[in-house]
Amino acid sequence: DVKVTQSSRYLVKRTGEKVFLECVQDMDHENMFWYRQDPGLGLRLIYFSYDVKMKEKGDIPEGYSVSREKKERFSLILESASTNQTSMYLCASWGRREQYFGPGTRLTVT
Amino acid sequence: AQTVTQSQPEMSVQEAETVTLSCTYDTSESDYYLFWYKQPPSRQMILVIRQEAYKQQNATENRFSVNFQKAAKSFSLKISDSQLGDAAMYFCAYQAGANSKLTFGKGITLSVRP
């Protein structure tokens, strides 16, 4: 069975903190993605990676960075968290026919 | 740039009835794929159905089927014999060719009345 896991379901951080969201897939997929989901806005692509150490900006990369040191792990980094980054963050990996999603991390920045 | 439009934010259906969720998209590509994803409350997003643009036949998966109108750039999802477990947010998504990136619509919240 395909599995994408995210390090936390819920996270509360303070403004200015550095935040790491981690995603792991066990399917040997090359392509991985980070989205944020906000009510009324759907899913918006932040960054994606098509190979280890490779990354490309998505539609809303400002305020975020990513790291992919190993094929199975894709991390999203908020260098200095702000309240407008309070959101649901979804990780996904591409399995030739579809994207497989993790359970999501609901991040609140206070 | 490709866009995906889901104009209805919410819909409601009676259990055992049929409901159709609308989606339109804009693209200049000839080779692409379309998807419907389901996100149940507090649960993982899963694929409902996938359609290849080069196929004229509409995709079906059990109670789920699509009405793919390529010329009109329309891709609606029909859910037959609706069940309480169908209550979820549904997202329409577009993929250009072999590119693995998806463009999502804003989603629609479907409620099922018992």
Side-chain angles (χ1 to χ4, degrees), chain B residues 53-109:
Chain B
Y54 63 84
K55 287 188 178 178
Q56 292 189 340
Q57 187 172 6
N58 289 324
T60 62
E61 287 287 342
N62 301 314
R63 298 182 295 106
F64 299 87
S65 61
V66 298
N67 183 5
F68 174 46
Q69 302 288 327
K70 192 171 184 178
K73 296 180 181 174
S74 170
F75 182 61
S76 59
L77 175 69
K78 185 171 84 170
I79 306 173
S80 304
D81 185 25
S82 296
Q83 301 175 359
L84 296 178
D86 294 333
M89 181 158 259
Y90 288 82
F91 292 93
C92 179
Y94 165 95
Q95 176 200 356
N99 188 332
S100 63
K101 283 173 53 179
L102 298 185
T103 299
F104 286 85
K106 294 182 178 181
I108 179 171
T109 300

Side-chain angles (χ1 to χ4, degrees), chain B:
Chain B
Q2 293 85 13
T3 58
V4 177
T5 302
Q6 295 179 253
S7 55
Q8 306 152 301
E10 295 179 349
M11 285 194 77
S12 180
V13 63
Q14 190 75 36
E15 196 175 4
E17 298 293 307
T18 295
V19 64
T20 299
L21 311 183
S22 302
C23 173
T24 59
Y25 60 95
D26 187 26
T27 184
S28 57
E29 304 282 341
S30 57
D31 177 28
Y32 56 89
Y33 301 82
L34 297 163
F35 305 80
W36 279 98
Y37 275 87
K38 171 184 178 181
Q39 186 181 42
S42 300
R43 291 179 61 189
Q44 222 139 327
M45 183 109 70
I46 57 172
L47 178 68
V48 176
I49 202 162
R50 178 180 185 266
Q51 173 80 44
E52 295 92 340
Y54 63 84
K55 287 188 178 178
Q56 292 189 340
Q57 187 172 6
N58 289 324
T60 62
E61 287 287 342
N62 301 314
R63 298 182 295 106
F64 299 87
S65 61
V66 298
N67 183 5
F68 174 46
Q69 302 288 327
K70 192 171 184 178
K73 296 180 181 174
S74 170
F75 182 61
S76 59
L77 175 69
K78 185 171 84 170
I79 306 173
S80 304
D81 185 25
S82 296
Q83 301 175 359
L84 296 178
D86 294 333
M89 181 158 259
Y90 288 82
F91 292 93
C92 179
Y94 165 95
Q95 176 200 356
N99 188 332
S100 63
K101 283 173 53 179
L102 298 185
T103 299
F104 286 85
K106 294 182 178 181
I108 179 171
T109 300
L110 177 68
S111 58
V112 181
R113 304 185 302 275

Side-chain angles (χ1 to χ4, degrees), chain A residues 4-20:
Chain A
V4 179
T5 57
Q6 295 183 228
S7 49
S8 305
R9 288 301 302 270
Y10 300 93
L11 209 52
V12 180
K13 294 292 181 181
R14 294 196 180 274
T15 302
E17 277 193 82
K18 190 168 186 175
V19 181
F20 292 86

Side-chain angles (χ1 to χ4, degrees), chain A residues 45-62:
Chain A
L45 182 64
I46 305 171
Y47 267 97
F48 65 103
S49 167
Y50 48 89
D51 204 348
V52 175
K53 297 193 186 295
M54 306 298 281
K55 61 185 180 185
E56 280 200 26
K57 293 180 180 179
D59 301 317
I60 51 164
E62 297 78 19

